[in-house]
Amino acid sequence: MFEIIEKNVLAEGIFETKVYAPRIARSAKPGQFIIVRADKHGERVPLTIADYDAEQGSVTMVTQALGVSTRKIVAKEVGEAFADVAGPLGRPSDFVSEPIEELRGKRFVFIGGGVGTAPVYPQVKWLAERGVKVDVIIGAKTKDMLIYTEKMERVAGNLYIATDDGSEGFHGLVTSLLEKLIGEGREYDCCVAIGPMIMMKFVTLTAKKYALPCVVSLNALMVDGTGMCGACRVTIAGKTKFTCVDGPEFNAYDVDFDEAMRRQGMYRTQEQRALAIAREHAEGHKCNIGLDK
Amino acid sequence: MANKIPRVLVREQNPAIRATNFEEVCYGYNLEEASLEASRCLHCKNPRCVAACPVNIRIPEFIERISQGDVAGAAAVIAEDSSLPSICGRVCPQESQCEGACILGIKGEPVAIGKMERFVGDWQLENPLPTPHIASNGHRVAIVGSGPAGLACASDLARMGYEVTVFEALHEVGGVLVYGIPEFRLPKHGIVAKEIDKIRALGVRFETDVIVGRTVTIDSLLGEEGFDAVFIGSGAGLPRFMGIEGENLNGVLSANEFLTRANLMRAYDEQYDTPIYVGRRVVVVGGGNVAMDAVRTAKRLGAEATIVYRRSEKELPARVEEVHHAKEEGIEFRMLTNPTRVLGDEKGWVTGLNCVRMELGEPDESGRRSPQEVSGSDFTIECDVVIMALGTSPNPLIAATTDALETSRRGCIVADDEGRTSRRGVFAGGDTVTGAATVILAMGAGRKAARAIDEYVKSL
C-alpha cells in the first residue's frame, strides 16, 4: 500500500498529495509520470509527477478533481493509502541525457498551464540544481487557480504569471505573454509547454511563428501505461506512437493535436454518466427505475 | 481394454444464456465422467500424445490413474511436468497438441485429454497437498512478470529452496491469465487465484506495481538488490495495428485494451470505475484466441459482434473449441475478408469498416495458402467499434534498459533452449523470447529456465 504522508489544497479542486513510494522516488526523472489506483474498484489514472524525494522515499502528485476517479484520489487523507502507485512511466525529458555544458548554454522557456504547472516544476528544479536557470511562464484562468508560484519562484530564473482575467500578472493567455516576452527582445532556444491540450496546441503555433523548437507533454488516455493497451496512441509526424512508451514528451511540431484532443474524449459519455451518478448518490438520491445500473 | 464408447460430452452453459453473462462456459467433467472418458484411452505403447505435448506430460499414465479412481495419483503424474493443469486443461490448443496426435482421432474422436487434465487440476485445487517445508538454500532469484512463464519458474525454484521474488508491472498477479483471458474461459477467483496461492504458499513473494526497466532495472536487481539471477518472463508486448486509414478514430481499439478493461479492470461490473465502450455493433479483426475472446466479450456486453479474418475458417489460429463456442453464442464469422479502411463521421467516431474479399492463393513460406485480394470486391460493414486482434510486437522496455542483453531482429530477447540469455545470470522465457505463443509453452520455458538457473547459481 502507498501511504499518503502529506496533503495540501493548492486551489479550489486542486490538491497536492505526497505519497510514500520509495522505489519510484529513487528512479523518477523529470518528464515521467505515474499511474494511481485509489482503491480496489478504481481506475488506473495516469498523473504527472510534481516532485520526488529519494531520501524521504516520497513522490508528489497534483490532481484536479474532475471525474469520479480523480475525486476518489483527492478524497484520500493523510494516513490513508492508495491501492496502487506504479511508475515512473514514460521516457524522461530529452534534456536529462544532454551534456550539462550544452544545457547551460541553452535558453529555455517553460510554460505551465493550470495543473500542467506541476510537472514543469521537477524539470525546472532539475535544471536549476545543475546551474541552468530558465524562464517560466505560469498561466491560469484567474489568480485563485494559480498553483506552484512560490515553489517555482525558488528554482526559476525569471517567473512570469498570466491570468485570463488579469487578476494577477499579465492579462491574457500564456501565448500572448510568450509573444510579448519575445517582442521585448528575450531570446529562447527551446520551449517546453505542459497543460491542457488546447493550450499546448496554441503554444506550438506561437512557437512555430518564431521558429522556436517546442516540446509538449501529452496526457492521453491510458489503461496499463506500459505499452500493452495502445489506448494512448497519438499521431506524431504521420506515424502512430504510444504516449506511454514513446512519450509522454514529443516534438510539438510533429503532434496531431486535433486527433489527440478527440481521442481524449473517447470515454466522455461514460465518464459524465458515472460522475452524475456519483453526485446523485452523494446527495442521497436513490434511483428507483434502475438508471444507475 | 479400451472402451469403444463415444467421447464423453462435457457439460456446458446454455449458449443463449451464457452469451449474456461472464460465468464459465464449460462445467468440466465430474469423477464419473472423467473415469468413463479415461476408459477410452488405448494406452498406446508409443504414446503419440506425450510426444505432441509441449511439456511431455505422461498422459496415458495419468489417464490410467483416473480410471483407477486415483485422482491424487493422476495429479502427481501431471505435476512432474506441468505446474498449472487446471489452467492448461482450459486454454491449451489440445487439437493441435495431445489430442491432435491421439490414434483414436484418426477415425473418430480423440480422447478428451484436456478435459481430464482440467478435472485433475481442479480436483487438486480443492484437495491441496500439504505445503512442503522447504529449507532455504540462501540464494535469491528475481522473476520479471507473473504470467505463466514466471509462475512456473517461481514455483520450481521455490521448491528447490530458492528465495523467489516475482515483480509484476500491473496491480494484479497473473499476467495474461488475468488481463487477457476472460472470466468465461478461465475463472479468476476460482482457478487463477488458487493456483497463485499455491505458489505463494511455497514462500514466493509477489511485488505488484513494479515495472522492470522503469521502477527498477535488471542491473539494479542483480546489483543493489542482491539477486543471484533474474528470469525475464515479461510477456508479449505492444499491440499491432494494421496501418490502414482511420485506425486512430474514436472506437478503434486493440484487443489488449478492450480485454484489459473487461478482465483486469472488470469494467463490465458496475462497482468498478473503469469505463468500456462497446457500441451497438462490434467488428473484431483477427482469427486467434485473442480475437475470439474479444468478440465474445463484446457479445456479452450487449453488442452485435462479428469476426473478420483474411483467410478461411480452416486457417483460423484460435482453438477449435473457442470457434465452436463463439458460433454457438451467435458470433458472425466473415472469412476471407480483409479491412482496408476504417470509416468515421465528422466528429471522428467509427461508422464502418471498408473491406475487400480475399481468395486463397499458393501456399507461402509458412505453408499456409496466402490470401489475395479479389479486385473490385470492396464492401462496407457498418459498425461503431473496431477491435484489432492482430498479435503483438515485443515491448522494448527491458532490452532498452539492460546492457548487453541480445535481442533478435524482431525485438524478442534471445535465449537458448534452457533460457540462458547473452547476459550471465539473466534468463528469459515465454512470449518475450518466442513472440506471442501459448500458456503451456511459456510454462515449459519457465520450468526449463528454473533448472538452468539452479545449475548457474550452484556454479557460482
Side-chain angles (χ1 to χ4, degrees):
Chain A
M1 291 296 258
F2 298 85
E3 198 185 321
I4 294 160
I5 47 186
E6 203 185 308
K7 184 180 169 186
N8 301 300
V9 185
L10 301 181
E12 200 192 332
I14 303 179
F15 297 80
E16 180 186 53
T17 312
K18 191 186 266 189
V19 66
Y20 184 68
R23 281 192 191 278
I24 304 176
R26 266 203 302 277
S27 311
K29 296 209 169 62
Q32 294 185 297
F33 64 97
I34 49 177
I35 285 209
V36 179
R37 207 169 64 108
D39 59 35
K40 68 173 181 169
H41 295 130
E43 207 178 341
R44 294 173 65 93
V45 183
L47 294 171
T48 48
I49 298 175
D51 205 356
Y52 48 89
D53 182 338
E55 250 169 66
Q56 195 186 29
S58 69
V59 175
T60 303
M61 63 193 92
V62 169
T63 318
Q64 186 164 23
L66 291 172
V68 169
S69 296
T70 43
R71 279 162 179 249
K72 262 190 178 177
I73 288 169
V74 304
K76 292 270 183 190
E77 299 297 343
V78 173
E80 293 183 303
F82 293 123
D84 302 278
V85 181
L89 294 161
R91 294 173 50 236
S93 305
D94 279 344
F95 63 74
V96 171
S97 48
E98 281 174 44
I100 298 299
E101 304 76 61
E102 265 174 49
L103 289 176
R104 287 194 182 127
K106 225 170 176 178
R107 293 158 300 180
F108 283 93
V109 56
F110 283 81
I111 302 177
V115 278
T117 307
V120 166
Y121 174 70
Q123 304 203 8
V124 174
K125 180 179 160 191
W126 190 93
L127 288 164
E129 281 167 357
R130 283 153 187 81
V132 186
K133 285 283 176 192
V134 305
D135 284 4
V136 179
I137 297 173
I138 297 180
K141 280 206 173 72
T142 178
K143 185 182 171 197
D144 293 341
M145 296 304 280
L146 282 165
I147 63 163
Y148 269 39
T149 48
E150 281 167 36
K151 281 182 93 166
M152 206 70 85
E153 185 86 66
R154 291 197 288 272
V155 291
N158 296 298
L159 176 65
Y160 305 97
I161 308 280
T163 50
D164 295 2
D165 63 359
S167 52
E168 186 159 335
F170 177 80
H171 185 170
L173 300 172
V174 290
T175 43
S176 312
L177 178 51
L178 176 64
E179 291 207 67
K180 178 173 169 266
L181 291 174
I182 294 173
E184 286 168 3
R186 299 213 57 110
E187 287 178 41
Y188 297 112
D189 306 307
C190 180
C191 170
V192 178
I194 310 179
M197 207 72 95
I198 189 79
M199 179 204 94
M200 293 192 283
K201 176 182 169 176
F202 281 98
V203 168
T204 305
L205 291 174
T206 306
K208 258 187 193 167
K209 269 207 316 218
Y210 299 94
L212 170 62
C214 187
V215 171
V216 291
S217 176
L218 300 182
N219 47 338
L221 294 181
M222 286 178 198
V223 185
D224 64 292
T226 64
M228 216 179 71
C229 81
C232 66
R233 56 196 198 281
V234 286
T235 301
I236 305 294
K239 288 208 175 76
T240 295
K241 298 278 178 189
F242 288 10
T243 305
C244 66
V245 290
D246 300 316
E249 295 191 344
F250 292 103
N251 178 350
Y253 290 11
D254 294 340
V255 176
D256 183 341
F257 283 104
D258 294 335
E259 179 189 276
M261 277 187 271
R262 164 169 56 71
R263 291 186 55 80
Q264 275 186 325
M266 172 74 207
Y267 294 93
R268 196 155 288 149
T269 314
Q270 285 94 324
E271 285 159 3
Q272 283 168 349
R273 180 172 169 275
L275 184 60
I277 291 169
R279 273 201 187 122
E280 298 220 319
H281 281 182
E283 285 160 13
H285 174 81
K286 207 182 158 300
C287 183
N288 291 321
I289 56 169
L291 287 179
D292 54 350
K293 287 284 183 290
Chain B
M1 200 44 222
N3 202 334
K4 286 196 175 156
I5 57 165
R7 177 164 159 138
V8 177
L9 281 179
V10 71
R11 288 165 290 116
E12 289 173 349
Q13 240 200 103
N14 178 306
I17 295 167
R18 72 177 189 240
T20 64
N21 68 42
F22 282 84
E23 309 290 312
E24 194 173 12
V25 168
C26 176
Y27 294 123
Y29 285 155
N30 57 29
L31 177 59
E32 195 185 329
E33 290 158 339
S35 308
L36 191 57
E37 180 62 22
S39 72
R40 294 181 65 229
C41 178
L42 298 173
H43 294 283
C44 306
K45 229 186 211 140
N46 175 21
R48 306 202 313 171
C49 52
V50 178
C53 170
V55 298
N56 309 115
I57 294 175
R58 300 202 310 280
I59 293 163
E61 269 182 62
F62 93 73
I63 291 180
E64 180 153 26
R65 301 290 164 89
I66 295 177
S67 51
Q68 293 163 351
D70 176 14
V71 189
V77 171
I78 295 177
E80 282 182 38
D81 301 295
S82 169
S83 22
L84 307 165
S86 62
I87 293 171
C88 292
R90 284 174 169 82
V91 303
C92 259
Q94 286 93 3
E95 71 272 8
S96 56
Q97 299 177 0
C98 53
E99 295 182 22
C102 179
I103 294 283
L104 284 185
I106 297 172
K107 279 195 176 159
E109 290 240 66
V111 173
I113 300 166
K115 293 290 177 282
M116 284 191 280
E117 181 190 24
R118 165 187 162 147
F119 164 73
V120 174
D122 287 5
W123 182 92
Q124 188 80 89
L125 287 179
E126 293 305 316
N127 303 274
L129 292 168
T131 306
H133 178 78
I134 308 155
S136 165
N137 66 11
H139 292 290
R140 299 173 65 227
V141 178
I143 289 183
V144 182
S146 65
L151 290 176
C153 190
S155 162
D156 279 12
L157 287 169
R159 285 173 197 279
M160 295 177 205
Y162 287 88
E163 288 174 29
V164 181
T165 304
V166 180
F167 296 98
E168 167 56 49
L170 295 172
H171 57 266
E172 236 176 89
V173 175
V176 71
L177 307 173
V178 167
Y179 76 74
I181 305 174
E183 181 75 20
F184 57 81
R185 203 147 79 78
L186 182 63
K188 308 303 159 214
H189 287 295
I191 304 297
V192 181
K194 282 184 187 161
E195 289 283 9
I196 290 164
D197 284 345
K198 260 171 40 185
I199 296 167
R200 210 174 252 133
L202 296 170
V204 172
R205 284 186 59 231
F206 288 93
E207 212 181 309
T208 51
D209 299 323
V210 177
I211 301 107
V212 175
R214 288 278 180 242
T215 319
V216 296
T217 60
I218 299 289
D219 291 289
S220 71
L221 291 174
L222 290 168
E224 297 106 87
E225 304 222 15
F227 287 99
D228 297 292
V230 177
F231 172 75
I232 305 168
S234 53
L238 281 55
R240 284 213 186 96
F241 289 88
M242 294 188 76
I244 57 175
E245 196 186 323
E247 232 171 353
N248 284 349
L249 288 167
N250 286 9
V252 183
L253 50 160
S254 74
N256 264 9
E257 176 185 352
F258 186 67
L259 290 171
T260 302
R261 286 180 184 274
N263 302 334
L264 176 72
M265 306 311 296
R266 298 183 178 81
Y268 59 81
D269 179 340
E270 64 146 297
Q271 279 190 64
Y272 290 80
D273 300 335
T274 302
I276 193 161
Y277 181 72
V278 274
R280 204 171 36 80
R281 179 138 191 216
V282 175
V283 174
V284 176
V285 182
N289 287 318
V290 174
M292 297 306 140
D293 288 345
V295 80
R296 295 168 71 197
T297 297
K299 177 85 187 176
R300 281 160 171 76
L301 291 168
E304 263 184 74
T306 302
I307 284 275
V308 161
Y309 179 57
R310 65 197 182 113
R311 300 179 196 252
S312 73
E313 185 166 340
K314 230 174 50 209
E315 285 85 19
L316 279 173
R319 295 177 80 221
V320 168
E321 189 180 12
E322 308 312 328
V323 176
H324 170 71
H325 282 159
K327 285 186 172 166
E328 282 185 340
E329 288 162 14
I331 305 297
E332 182 193 12
F333 281 73
R334 294 213 186 196
M335 300 294 100
L336 290 167
T337 301
N338 203 30
T340 50
R341 189 154 75 100
V342 188
L343 308 174
D345 63 17
E346 68 286 354
K347 285 185 175 156
W349 288 77
V350 172
T351 57
L353 186 63
N354 245 19
C355 298
V356 283
R357 291 194 205 291
M358 308 292 279
E359 57 189 6
L360 291 180
E362 294 302 306
D364 60 12
E365 58 272 28
S366 75
R368 294 192 295 185
R369 293 174 66 193
S370 61
Q372 286 153 2
E373 276 187 36
V374 177
S375 63
S377 65
D378 290 65
F379 66 103
T380 302
I381 304 174
E382 265 181 54
C383 61
D384 38 23
V385 170
V386 175
I387 296 173
M388 296 294 180
L390 307 161
T392 56
S393 58
N395 192 327
L397 197 49
I398 290 177
T401 53
T402 311
D403 277 338
L405 185 65
E406 198 190 325
T407 53
S408 71
R409 215 153 38 100
R410 286 184 308 148
C412 294
I413 295 173
V414 175
D416 68 14
D417 265 359
E418 270 66 52
R420 297 180 199 92
T421 69
S422 58
R423 274 280 301 268
R424 258 174 68 82
V426 179
F427 299 77
D431 284 3
T432 191
V433 170
T434 57
T438 57
V439 170
I440 186 103
L441 281 171
M443 184 200 75
R447 299 200 77 186
K448 276 189 187 165
R451 288 195 285 273
I453 289 169
D454 183 45
E455 225 170 77
Y456 164 78
V457 173
K458 281 182 176 152
S459 76
L460 289 177

